Amino acid sequence: MPNVHHRYASVAGRQLFYREAGPANEPTVVLLHGFPTSSFMFRNLIPALADRYHVIAPDHLGFGLSDAPAAGEFDYTFDALTDLTADLLKQLGIERYAIYVQDYGAPVGFRLALRDPDAITAIITQNGNGYEEGFVESFWQTVWNYQKEQTPETESAIRAALTLDVTRWQYVTGTPDETLISPDTWHHDYALLSRPGNDDIQLALFRDYATNPPLYPRLHEYLRSSGVPVLAVWGRGDEIFGPDGARAFATDATDAEIHLLEGGHFLLESAGDTVATIIREFLGRRLSVTMPGSEKAAPGGVSS
């Protein structure tokens, strides 16, 4: 099994933690995690890819083992998280790479693509939205209310997302067999959410999520014009980003490959081996189209 290295880098005066594995001379895959987790969510996927690819998985600022300056000391926005990620990749000498995005990783990864389209060799989205379709209203209405108006009532409602019960709910909802999900996952995330001041960090990002949907038209134009290979591998039981969010990528991406699997928001916890196999097959076929003289990739499709 490939060795996974656990490293820190100083970026814009902040310490960012990242996991790295695989040969540096092979194609790079950057794994971008979501809320409320960290690169810990990729602990099994990294070695499953690293025999063939160079894999980088950073913790966003405020998450995991990266620095978490107070919300009053750092402006927590998705633009700012993207800035730090771009600077980290530049520092590591990574100029071209595929991205795997999940949840919050999607607005970071899509911003990276819009800033430097030529850098992105492929997009893998696992329950990471890029369309209005897929937002499950029963979850998002609380977020939308808080974004619209910050009152004691809307803040109290959104703070439920920072509790142990809701953290567990994100992991087990939509999973056919809850016993496949280790309780370590949600207890690990909740411990980090519970650090003093982290609640204000998360509230800032809940507010700033409102900046993401306005970027979607630019993302869709990028997908159409670039022809970047896209894989959407989705837990169909996710009650945050529903399966319509996966299907929507076929609207604009050329030959998008869409797989709807039994599982939830954190699909890697219950179907990690299946997801890894799908990713390896996708990258093996699609990265070759970026090479001079290569043939056009085989068409994609929808798999349920």
Side-chain angles (χ1 to χ4, degrees):
M1 179 177 292
N3 291 324
V4 178
H5 300 273
H6 305 83
R7 309 186 191 278
Y8 288 88
S10 180
V11 180
R14 309 293 184 182
Q15 287 288 106
L16 296 184
F17 174 81
Y18 65 99
R19 302 169 197 256
E20 181 175 18
N25 60 339
E26 294 296 336
T28 297
V29 181
V30 177
L31 310 178
L32 298 172
H33 70 83
F35 167 86
T37 186
S38 63
S39 62
F40 179 76
M41 71 171 283
F42 300 120
R43 64 198 180 281
N44 297 319
L45 181 62
I46 293 171
L49 299 178
D51 64 321
R52 190 170 176 182
Y53 300 100
H54 177 220
V55 185
I56 299 288
D59 288 353
H60 303 311
L61 196 76
F63 293 81
L65 299 178
S66 288
D67 280 352
E73 299 173 8
F74 184 85
D75 187 15
Y76 283 91
T77 67
F78 287 94
D79 280 337
L81 297 184
T82 304
D83 291 342
L84 290 168
T85 305
D87 288 349
L88 172 64
L89 296 177
K90 182 178 180 180
Q91 186 176 129
L92 297 178
I94 297 170
E95 297 179 349
R96 302 199 76 221
Y97 52 94
I99 53 173
Y100 176 121
V101 301
Q102 192 264 352
D103 192 85
Y104 277 9
V108 174
F110 296 155
R111 278 172 169 81
L112 290 172
L114 292 175
R115 291 182 186 187
D116 188 1
D118 292 338
I120 307 300
T121 58
I123 294 173
I124 302 158
T125 174
Q126 184 256 295
N127 298 78
N129 246 37
Y131 288 81
E132 297 283 355
E133 294 88 344
F135 284 95
V136 179
E137 186 174 354
S138 59
F139 175 87
W140 283 96
Q141 190 61 59
T142 301
V143 181
W144 296 331
N145 291 343
Y146 179 63
Q147 290 170 349
K148 183 178 180 180
E149 186 179 17
Q150 290 84 61
T151 68
E153 292 75 21
T154 61
E155 181 176 320
S156 176
I158 196 65
R159 280 181 175 274
L162 307 180
T163 63
L164 179 61
D165 283 347
V166 173
T167 304
R168 177 185 181 278
W169 174 88
Q170 290 188 68
Y171 275 95
V172 302
T173 299
T175 302
D177 182 357
E178 292 184 9
T179 66
L180 293 174
I181 313 297
S182 170
D184 295 329
T185 54
W186 61 80
H187 282 282
H188 176 273
D189 288 355
Y190 179 67
L192 294 172
L193 278 176
S194 300
R195 291 175 294 178
N198 198 266
D199 56 343
D200 291 330
I201 292 172
Q202 303 308 328
L203 291 176
L205 289 171
F206 285 143
R207 294 191 298 270
D208 194 65
Y209 203 94
T211 66
N212 296 327
L215 292 178
Y216 291 168
R218 289 180 55 204
L219 171 66
H220 305 160
E221 173 57 31
Y222 158 71
L223 295 177
R224 291 191 297 269
S225 63
S226 68
V228 63
V230 174
L231 166 67
V233 56
W234 218 267
R236 65 164 66 248
D238 188 356
E239 294 189 14
I240 300 174
F241 296 118
D244 284 347
R247 298 185 185 103
F249 283 93
T251 305
D252 297 296
T254 302
D255 295 332
E257 299 185 27
I258 300 170
H259 296 261
L260 303 177
L261 306 182
E262 295 303 323
H265 192 62
F266 288 107
L267 184 62
L268 290 178
E269 298 301 328
S270 60
D273 289 347
T274 301
V275 173
T277 298
I278 291 171
I279 291 172
R280 288 174 64 90
E281 292 176 352
F282 167 77
L283 292 177
R285 283 183 279 106
R286 295 306 188 101
L287 287 191
S288 65
V289 305
T290 65
M291 303 300 178
S294 63
E295 296 181 355
K296 189 178 185 293
V302 178
S303 171
S304 59

